[in-house]
């Protein structure tokens, strides 16, 4: 990621965007690990599917709207019973 300019504000924005991207990749990695713990799903995957796995997906991200942040609660990434 390159941001034109060298002001202090630009560097702050670049750092914030980098932190956001790193956080999203971490959450996506946790989600992938949770899915791959299921033996039924994991057994369906071959070598090609495993090589194609990436934590750089954005389909679960809503870049618009309101984001509620509760620093007193952890993300619930556990599977819920249907």
């Amino acid at each position: 990621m390159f941001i034109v300019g060298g002001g202090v504000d630009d560097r702050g924005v670049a750092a914030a965007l980098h932190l956001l991207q790193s956080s999203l990749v971490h959450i996506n990695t946790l989600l992938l690990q949770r899915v791959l713990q299921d033996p039924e799903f994991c057994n369906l995957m071959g070598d090609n599917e495993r090589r194609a796995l990436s934590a750089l997906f954005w389909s679960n991200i809503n870049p618009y709207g309101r984001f509620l942040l509760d620093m007193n609660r952890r993300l619930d990434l556990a599977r819920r019973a249907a």
Side-chain angles (χ1 to χ4, degrees):
M1 164 182 25
F2 296 101
I3 295 182
V4 178
V8 175
D9 291 338
D10 292 340
R11 287 182 286 180
V13 168
L17 290 173
H18 182 71
L19 178 61
L20 177 63
Q21 182 182 26
S22 298
S23 300
L24 292 173
V25 169
H26 177 68
I27 290 172
N28 288 347
T29 301
L30 294 174
L31 291 171
L32 281 174
Q33 288 175 346
R34 181 71 62 179
V35 168
L36 293 175
Q37 285 178 350
D38 183 358
E40 289 182 30
F41 182 78
C42 197
N43 292 336
L44 293 174
M45 295 179 61
D47 291 337
N48 289 334
E49 288 82 11
R50 290 183 192 284
R51 279 193 295 270
L53 282 177
S54 170
L56 298 175
F57 57 89
W58 305 100
S59 59
N60 59 328
I61 305 303
N62 176 13
Y64 309 103
R66 195 172 269 177
F67 298 92
L68 301 176
L69 180 63
D70 184 355
M71 295 300 288
N72 295 317
R73 228 176 45 142
R74 293 183 62 91
L75 291 176
D76 183 18
L77 298 177
R79 253 194 231 171
R80 295 181 184 208

